[in-house]
Amino acid sequence: MTNPILSDWTTPFELAPFAKISDDDFAPALDEALQAHSAQIDAIATNTEAPSFANTIEALEAAGEQLDKVLSVFFTVAGADSNPKREELQREFSPKLAAHFSGISSNKALFKRVANLWARRDDLGLSEEQARVLMLSHRGFVRAGAALEGEQDARMQEIKARLASLGTSFTQNLLADERDWFMDLFEDDLQGLPDFVVDAARAAGQEKGAAGPVVTLSRSIIVPFLQFSPRRDLREKAYRAWTARGANGGETDNRDIAAEILSLREERAKLLGYDSFADYKLETEMARSPDRVRDLLMQVWEPAKARADADAEVLTAMMQEDGVNGPLAAWDWRYYAEKRRKAEHDLDEAALKPYLQLDRMIEASFACANRLFGLEFKPLDVPLYHPDCRAWEVTRDGKHVAVFIGDYFARGSKRSGAWCSAMRGQAKFPKEQAPVVINVCNFAKGDPALLSYDDARTLFHEFGHALHQMLSNVTYESISGTSVARDFVELPSQLYEHWLEVPEVLAEFATHADTGEAMPQEMLEKVLKAANFDQGFQTVEYVASALVDLAFHEGAAPADPMAKQAEVLDGIGMPAAIGMRHATPHFAHVFAGDGYSSGYYSYMWSEVMDADAFEAFEEAGGAFDPERAKALEDNILSTGGSREAEELYLAFRGRMPGVEALLKGRGLIAA
């Protein structure tokens, strides 16, 4: 019988046939796909014809179709709907895949062909895009260690395999800690909690099989609980559990894993001739060097800390008025900040939330994409990997553009956070293929599902990534969509968040779940005025995490990452009542893989550009200015990684921005 993963997908838009795929299909499909891909690579490497762009670079681009199908399906379900079998498969696949791709990048015959083309690049008559793909291919081989020989080459392969296994273990330990902990709430414990928090807690209790409502470590439940629960003892218990993820001792403790990962990264960088892993990693980013990253972060840190310190004094006074003596604690900040927001802005999130229905916010994100780029969204009735998922066909002028999948609700089988991925990237070679893009979030389930303002911003953020994938218009998949510098990839997503704050968007789509009435003008104005509320806290918790990440990778790997974390936080004067957004044992951005290692700063680097980019719309005809929208699509959203990120931004804006727009946008300096 043909394995359904490897068969021709005759489904609508050639989507994965999820209804036919079982967990037992993954291992044999992967083995077969790896063998097929290895044979294709061997054929390219041993080709007796002289190297050409077609028989080497384009041949590499065309290889691995079966493997792409297996990995796109497996990693989608492993991240968003895991189970013990899938976790076991992930542990098994991780070293296998690392060895496979390491074998390709260290294939001397293959690298010789690529190096030959690189040496003759000026005589090959390549298009601009082809020249870019050749450069990236050559650079990728060199940075992967293809030029290493003997013991150094062998050691590099060992390091890659070990890092892959450690990253998988880190992720699964974190998922286990998040999945296994919950706190029962009794009726007395619910007093003071808004209905939407109680409803989310009851739904979480049902999912956990508990006798009643529970608090879980899902951000969409624990953050509102910390905001609204008057029970300081329960807030402390929940907060300590949330921040202890990955650091509870036993089999799921991530601290030793983090130390080994940092040590191996340093060794890897030095094998390649770099002073540190940060020097290696940042070489290909817009920032280029650790010094430029630190300079940006410290320019933001000082005004953010000053704001946070001033806010802490206000919150401490509020707490003492409640009869609580002693210093403000990390489990107090959100509670008193919410009370302050209600007092100063007369804005109650419990009153606001019914206006932020998930379905209406999805409609809003689609409507903005329609006005800006002419995209239209039609619901699809197709089998997907979980009943919570939904799908839409994306068209423009009647022509198919993409399939978009949304998986919005938190559940125990899903890792925390929110992300966007392409199950199939856009390409024109070796054949035309339209993207299949998925947004995964962790919102609390409800009937109807209601979002916090931060949740709504997350929805727009991830949809900005999706637009980057859907509007891609390049030839080669390796440079399509979000295949750009890490500190550029967040620009489209963070820029799209601005459209949530456009008054006419909220006026149309922020409608009450019970009455259907539009958000009152007075409330809308309060929402927009309060958009920068508590930015001292939010900026400090983020920048602290970014500075710790940079310090981990900038010099010698610390033997004790927790001691290094404490040293960095002490050195910058971290406010006692604010925790890092991601402490080391649950810093999945940095330790689940190499993606954001030495790169967590990139959200802020991109924010410098997104604040400036939205100003370009405001300086023109407003948020929906058609000329600016076309320039954004032509120069950024459609171009993928076909040119250097700085070149793309300059083509859109005409200049590079300074940090002032970001500081003004966050309200940390006067506008």
Side-chain angles (χ1 to χ4, degrees):
M1 179 181 287
T2 305
N3 191 305
I5 306 175
L6 300 178
S7 64
D8 290 335
W9 293 353
T10 57
T11 50
F13 309 105
E14 297 182 337
L15 295 175
F18 289 107
K20 297 180 180 179
I21 296 171
S22 76
D23 287 346
D24 292 335
D25 294 320
F26 286 119
L30 181 68
D31 287 342
E32 188 174 333
L34 287 174
Q35 288 180 13
H37 193 220
S38 294
Q40 291 169 328
I41 296 300
D42 287 342
I44 298 166
T46 59
N47 190 342
T48 55
E49 296 178 6
S52 68
F53 187 82
N55 69 22
T56 303
I57 303 301
E58 287 192 330
L60 285 171
E61 289 281 332
E65 183 181 5
Q66 281 191 329
L67 186 57
D68 289 343
K69 290 168 77 170
V70 177
L71 298 184
S72 71
V73 177
F74 178 72
F75 283 114
T76 294
V77 298
D81 191 26
S82 193
N83 59 35
K85 175 65 173 177
R86 290 169 187 172
E87 290 178 13
E88 179 189 341
L89 288 170
Q90 203 168 0
R91 290 190 293 271
E92 177 189 326
F93 290 177
S94 183
K96 220 181 246 192
L97 289 167
H100 175 75
F101 289 111
S102 188
I104 294 172
S105 62
S106 62
N107 186 312
K108 304 303 179 189
L110 183 58
F111 177 56
K112 186 177 179 181
R113 294 180 71 85
V114 175
N116 175 290
L117 291 171
W118 179 244
R120 297 188 293 114
R121 59 191 179 277
D122 294 336
D123 302 322
L124 298 176
L126 302 179
S127 68
E128 184 180 346
E129 188 176 327
Q130 289 173 327
R132 175 76 174 167
V133 171
L134 173 58
M135 184 280 289
L136 293 171
S137 299
H138 180 260
R139 187 175 76 182
F141 272 99
V142 172
R143 286 171 58 80
L148 297 177
E149 301 285 351
E151 291 183 6
Q152 288 187 326
D153 185 23
R155 180 57 183 155
M156 180 63 81
Q157 311 317 314
E158 291 173 0
I159 289 171
K160 289 180 184 176
R162 181 62 179 157
L163 282 171
S165 292
L166 290 170
T168 297
S169 297
F170 189 97
T171 303
Q172 293 189 350
N173 289 346
L174 180 55
L175 178 62
D177 278 4
E178 290 172 345
R179 181 180 55 219
D180 294 346
W181 187 92
F182 61 88
M183 179 174 72
D184 289 303
L185 295 177
F186 302 99
E187 287 305 311
D188 288 349
D189 303 333
L190 302 177
Q191 291 184 12
L193 295 178
D195 289 345
F196 75 86
V197 179
V198 175
D199 291 344
R202 292 194 192 283
Q206 289 180 342
E207 200 234 340
K208 294 293 184 187
V214 302
V215 173
T216 70
L217 298 182
S218 168
R219 193 176 192 92
S220 62
I221 292 178
I222 196 166
V223 168
F225 183 79
L226 293 170
Q227 280 179 295
F228 292 104
S229 175
R231 288 283 301 277
R232 193 176 192 231
D233 59 330
L234 296 182
R235 294 201 311 268
E236 179 179 0
K237 182 179 178 182
Y239 182 85
R240 289 190 182 279
W242 192 34
T243 54
R245 291 169 296 156
N248 287 305
E251 293 182 356
T252 62
D253 198 294
N254 276 333
R255 287 171 288 191
D256 288 344
I257 291 175
E260 187 178 353
I261 287 172
L262 293 173
S263 177
L264 290 172
R265 284 177 180 163
E266 181 192 10
E267 185 181 356
R268 176 182 171 190
K270 290 191 169 175
L271 280 173
L272 295 169
Y274 295 89
D275 291 337
S276 70
F277 185 80
D279 288 306
Y280 161 75
K281 188 68 184 299
L282 295 172
E283 179 186 50
T284 59
E285 308 298 338
M286 290 183 75
R288 301 296 183 201
S289 73
D291 287 343
R292 290 186 71 190
V293 172
R294 175 168 279 100
D295 180 57
L296 167 69
L297 293 174
M298 292 311 295
Q299 284 187 68
V300 179
W301 174 259
E302 296 300 337
K305 182 179 181 297
R307 174 64 56 81
D309 287 342
D311 290 343
E313 292 182 12
V314 176
L315 301 184
T316 300
M318 293 174 65
M319 184 178 77
Q320 290 172 349
E321 286 175 10
D322 279 354
V324 181
N325 295 318
L328 184 75
W331 47 88
D332 297 319
W333 191 294
R334 288 175 174 85
Y335 178 70
Y336 285 99
E338 181 61 31
K339 290 182 75 170
R340 182 186 180 190
R341 181 171 73 154
K342 188 173 181 180
E344 293 185 1
H345 295 278
D346 192 22
L347 186 61
D348 180 357
E349 181 155 326
L352 170 64
K353 207 159 184 178
Y355 290 97
L356 299 175
Q357 300 175 68
L358 171 62
D359 286 351
R360 294 294 279 151
M361 291 299 102
I362 294 171
E363 286 180 50
S365 68
F366 289 175
C368 291
N370 176 261
R371 288 186 64 181
L372 289 164
F373 311 114
L375 299 178
E376 297 183 331
F377 299 81
K378 177 184 176 183
L380 288 174
D381 184 12
V382 290
L384 297 167
Y385 62 86
H386 192 278
D388 285 346
C389 296
R390 54 182 110 169
W392 294 264
E393 182 190 7
V394 187
T395 60
R396 179 156 60 181
D397 299 326
K399 182 182 177 184
H400 179 74
V401 171
V403 170
F404 174 66
I405 298 170
D407 180 2
Y408 295 108
F409 297 125
R411 52 180 174 267
S413 62
K414 184 189 289 187
R415 64 179 169 90
S416 61
W419 63 93
C420 173
S421 58
M423 294 192 68
R424 182 172 65 233
Q426 177 271 329
K428 300 174 185 174
F429 177 89
K431 62 181 181 180
E432 288 267 357
Q433 62 183 41
V436 176
V437 187
I438 180 168
N439 276 177
V440 183
C441 300
N442 270 283
F443 303 142
K445 207 167 188 178
D447 185 21
L450 304 178
L451 305 184
S452 67
Y453 198 71
D454 190 52
D455 287 338
R457 188 182 287 117
T458 295
L459 186 146
F460 269 70
H461 177 101
E462 298 306 333
F463 193 70
H465 280 309
L467 288 172
H468 201 179
Q469 298 277 16
M470 293 189 286
L471 292 173
S472 179
N473 185 24
V474 297
T475 302
Y476 302 103
E477 188 174 358
S478 64
I479 56 167
S480 75
T482 56
S483 300
V484 299
R486 180 65 65 178
D487 50 12
F488 191 67
V489 77
E490 298 297 337
L491 169 61
S493 54
Q494 291 178 185
L495 176 58
Y496 204 66
E497 291 178 31
H498 288 273
W499 274 272
L500 174 63
E501 297 178 354
V502 174
E504 62 190 277
V505 174
L506 285 174
E508 181 176 357
F509 294 99
T511 56
H512 198 280
D514 295 328
T515 66
E517 294 178 358
M519 181 184 291
Q521 182 65 26
E522 183 183 10
M523 180 181 281
L524 190 151
E525 290 172 1
K526 289 174 184 175
V527 167
L528 297 177
K529 283 181 181 178
N532 283 324
F533 181 74
D534 214 22
Q535 275 296 332
F537 171 89
Q538 293 182 40
T539 308
V540 160
E541 65 164 4
Y542 166 79
V543 175
S545 295
L547 285 166
V548 168
D549 166 43
L550 185 65
F552 278 160
H553 298 98
E554 193 175 7
D560 183 350
M562 299 305 292
K564 183 66 174 179
Q565 172 184 296
E567 176 191 322
V568 173
L569 297 181
D570 183 60
I572 59 176
M574 183 73 171
I578 302 179
M580 293 169 63
R581 183 169 297 179
H582 304 288
T584 299
H586 52 262
F587 206 164
H589 280 79
V590 170
F591 293 107
D594 274 357
Y596 281 90
S597 55
S598 287
Y600 192 63
Y601 76 92
S602 58
Y603 289 93
M604 190 141 283
W605 189 276
S606 293
E607 189 177 339
V608 170
M609 290 181 286
D610 85 62
D612 180 66
F614 195 69
E615 276 189 1
F617 280 86
E618 294 177 322
E619 290 166 5
F624 294 100
D625 181 75
E627 289 186 11
R628 286 289 82 201
K630 187 174 189 310
L632 179 64
E633 180 177 353
D634 290 348
N635 295 298
I636 294 176
L637 296 178
S638 70
T639 51
S642 60
R643 287 145 62 198
E644 288 292 333
E646 189 165 326
E647 184 184 342
L648 295 175
Y649 192 81
L650 285 170
F652 167 71
R653 189 64 163 121
R655 59 172 170 77
M656 292 302 292
V659 74
E660 292 78 15
L662 177 149
L663 295 175
K664 290 176 185 175
R666 286 187 172 233
L668 298 176
I669 61 173

